Amino acid sequence: MSTTHFGFESVEEQEKARRVRGVFDAVAPRYDLMNDLMSVGLHRAWKAYTVMVANPRPGQQVLDIAGGTGDLALAFAKKVGPTGRVVHTDINEAMLRTGRDRLLDAGVVLPTLVCDAEQLPFADAQFDCVSVAFGLRNMTHKERALAEMCRVLKPRGKLLVLEFSKVAQPLEKLYDWYSFQVLPRLGKWVAGDEASYRYLAESIRMHPGQEELKALMQQNGFGHVDYHNLTGGIVALHVGIKC
Ligand SMILES: C[S@@+](CC[C@H](N)C(=O)[O-])C[C@H]1O[C@@H](n2cnc3c(N)ncnc32)[C@H](O)[C@@H]1O
């Protein structure tokens, strides 16, 4: 059995998937509130930027992977309109249910599917655009997931990977203090869950940096890859074109 990392711990691969599920089962009810608090609302700007760069047109087909509580799916649905289609997916039922309820409250009904990004249940070349926001970091075999995202994209289709990345050097100390001192405490006070937010900080440190992720995308089918650093590299948006 191969091992991988869960935050800073080395665990068996199946154990990682089980623990990631545990984290998102635990955080689902307070996920949106915590997102706003932890990022002081910045996640909304990062997602709005992602939608702007994706630039989906009316009538297009969009797949949102690891879509969680549905921020991107909702924004994309407004862009593609009634002639387009946005499929909202996640491996975690609790996150997806929370998202589906939010979308229904907003008057939006989307196809919603529990599925693993590493084995997508879609035929080849179906989507104009695929997105994954803050999800890739949690996947056990990132290369498999990226290859699957490439497979389901149409030729010239666009993948958007919004993810925490390697922060600019002058920000490092402050960011480390915030990640390891403030975040877990915030998780404890607001969501009654310190461990999940410690995992968040650790998993960010274990995720490939900007150039490494670019190379991984190129190795898994994306002929053209570019990235945009946001907020000093706290987050990066990687854009891959299937060509
Ligand atoms: C931090 S949340 C991001 C949710 C949403 N995209 C957002 O930006 O707010 C990460 C999501 O990745 C999902 N996830 C983790 N591993 C996955 C996998 N192998 N396939 C699909 N989704 C996965 C989790 O269930 C969780 O909902």
Side-chain angles (χ1 to χ4, degrees):
M1 170 67 73
S2 315
T3 58
T4 183
H5 49 80
F6 175 80
F8 291 162
E9 263 184 82
S10 180
V11 296
E12 288 185 351
E13 286 184 345
Q14 281 183 348
E15 173 71 0
K16 171 165 175 158
R18 197 185 63 76
R19 289 220 210 164
V20 168
R21 190 164 54 245
V23 165
F24 289 104
D25 279 343
V27 303
R30 306 228 108 184
Y31 180 81
D32 291 321
L33 173 65
M34 278 300 290
N35 249 1
D36 276 332
L37 287 176
M38 286 184 309
S39 72
V40 285
L42 277 171
H43 76 104
R44 293 170 185 260
W46 298 329
K47 286 169 181 164
Y49 184 73
T50 303
V51 175
M52 190 190 83
V53 172
N55 192 25
R57 291 186 298 281
Q60 286 198 323
Q61 305 283 316
V62 179
L63 171 64
D64 187 30
I65 292 178
T69 56
D71 285 345
L72 278 187
L74 179 59
F76 282 133
K78 289 179 183 161
K79 293 278 179 189
V80 301
T83 55
R85 181 176 69 133
V86 178
V87 186
H88 176 212
T89 69
D90 199 288
I91 201 170
N92 186 294
E93 204 179 317
M95 291 290 284
L96 213 48
R97 276 184 193 283
T98 309
R100 192 186 51 183
D101 290 350
R102 267 185 75 204
L103 293 175
L104 286 175
D105 288 346
V108 176
V109 182
L110 300 182
T112 298
L113 205 72
V114 173
C115 69
D116 184 348
E118 296 182 22
Q119 286 176 290
L120 292 173
F122 303 105
D124 298 355
Q126 282 209 355
F127 296 96
D128 299 287
C129 175
V130 172
S131 59
V132 55
F134 305 109
L136 188 66
R137 196 183 69 248
N138 302 293
M139 294 171 194
T140 308
H141 306 99
K142 297 175 187 34
E143 69 296 343
R144 265 186 222 165
L146 289 171
E148 278 291 88
M149 295 175 203
C150 192
R151 180 183 66 74
V152 302
L153 271 171
K154 295 177 186 173
R156 313 285 315 159
K158 213 186 259 182
L159 170 67
L160 296 117
V161 182
L162 182 67
E163 189 52 272
F164 293 106
S165 203
K166 191 159 172 39
V167 77
Q169 205 262 331
L171 294 176
E172 263 174 17
K173 276 206 165 128
L174 180 65
Y175 186 55
D176 278 350
W177 170 79
Y178 178 75
S179 306
F180 292 104
Q181 302 303 323
V182 180
L183 267 189
R185 288 187 171 93
L186 203 58
K188 187 175 169 188
W189 294 329
V190 179
D193 180 359
E194 186 173 348
S196 294
Y197 291 91
R198 194 171 301 285
Y199 162 73
L200 169 65
E202 292 181 0
S203 66
I204 291 170
R205 299 314 186 280
M206 300 305 288
H207 187 66
Q210 286 84 339
E211 285 294 328
E212 278 173 278
L213 180 55
K214 178 177 175 175
L216 200 61
M217 289 171 68
Q218 286 169 331
Q219 286 153 22
N220 287 284
F222 294 92
H224 179 83
V225 182
D226 232 333
Y227 62 82
H228 312 222
N229 278 318
L230 307 176
T231 322
I234 290 178
V235 162
L237 174 65
H238 282 70
V239 184
I241 307 291
K242 178 175 178 175
C243 54

